[in-house]
Amino acid sequence: MTGFTKKALLGASGLALAAGLVLAPAAAFAHVSVDPSGEASPGSETTLTFGINHGCDGSPTTSVAVSMPEGLSGVHPIADANWTIETERDGDAGRVSTVIYTATTPLPNDIRGEVKMLVGFADDAADPLAFPVEQTCEDGSTSWSEVASPGEDPHDLEAPAPVLEFVDAAPAVDADSPAESGPSGLEVAGYVATGAAVVISLAALGIAVSASRRKS
């Protein structure tokens, strides 16, 4: 193996190790999460998936109760063979206030579980929306209900609630403002020349590597 190849492999190994060191803490501190299936914005609807990553100090999860925030125009839990579902409402015919998912078989601490619901957002819904979650286990429970104050880092919270942020609308284009122009002819020529130079350099490198291999 040439010195060039050894250096390349060592460089790749170093990048992989660095990536692992960066990603490991994020996975270790994962709690209850919420992810929309599409872009969430006032007046729209989407399917929300709540991810349950840990039990209560290692105890299997038996149920997950998700509280609904203000700003929703509708809530429709999605059936799942792994959970039985109940809903609580504000009054006899009021809006859904809580959706309770009970595991048909307790969810082990080291297994990720998911529950889903289709929700609609009111036209005047405020951003962001927090969904407090009560996670009940065979031994104990955890209330994921903390919400970061303005300026506070959510990662500093011990039991953060899942928070959904709306997608920002695309900025409006001012009809009176000139349209953005594409690259000029000189810029295009520069791009072509740069690309040609890169191709020539890569070809020269390939010839040099081939010659080095024939000598070794």
Side-chain angles (χ1 to χ4, degrees), residues 13-155:
S13 299
L15 290 174
L17 178 60
L21 291 175
V22 170
L23 293 176
F29 288 99
H31 299 304
V32 177
S33 61
V34 59
D35 295 297
S37 61
E39 294 185 350
S41 60
S44 69
E45 66 176 29
T46 188
T47 296
L48 300 182
T49 299
F50 293 85
I52 302 96
N53 297 292
H54 299 291
C56 317
D57 294 327
S59 180
T61 298
T62 56
S63 69
V64 176
V66 185
S67 296
M68 301 298 105
E70 296 290 339
L72 300 182
S73 59
V75 177
H76 305 280
I78 296 176
D80 188 317
N82 296 315
W83 307 87
T84 59
I85 304 173
E86 299 177 72
T87 58
E88 295 181 352
R89 296 177 177 272
D90 291 333
D92 294 336
R95 72 179 189 93
V96 174
S97 58
T98 307
V99 180
I100 305 168
Y101 300 84
T102 301
T104 54
T105 300
L107 180 69
N109 176 69
D110 58 347
I111 301 296
R112 174 184 169 84
E114 293 182 344
V115 297
K116 299 176 183 287
M117 64 180 72
L118 174 66
V119 301
F121 303 104
D123 293 336
D124 59 352
D127 180 38
L129 297 178
F131 293 79
V133 173
E134 184 71 20
Q135 181 180 10
T136 302
C137 303
E138 289 184 338
D139 184 14
S141 63
T142 301
S143 180
W144 304 101
S145 57
E146 296 179 334
V147 178
S149 303
E152 184 180 12
D153 187 348
H155 296 91

Side-chain angles (χ1 to χ4, degrees), residues 170-200:
V173 177
D174 187 350
D176 297 330
S177 63
E180 294 185 2
S181 59
S184 65
L186 288 177
E187 289 174 330
V188 172
Y191 299 153
V192 173
T194 301
V198 171
V199 171
I200 293 172

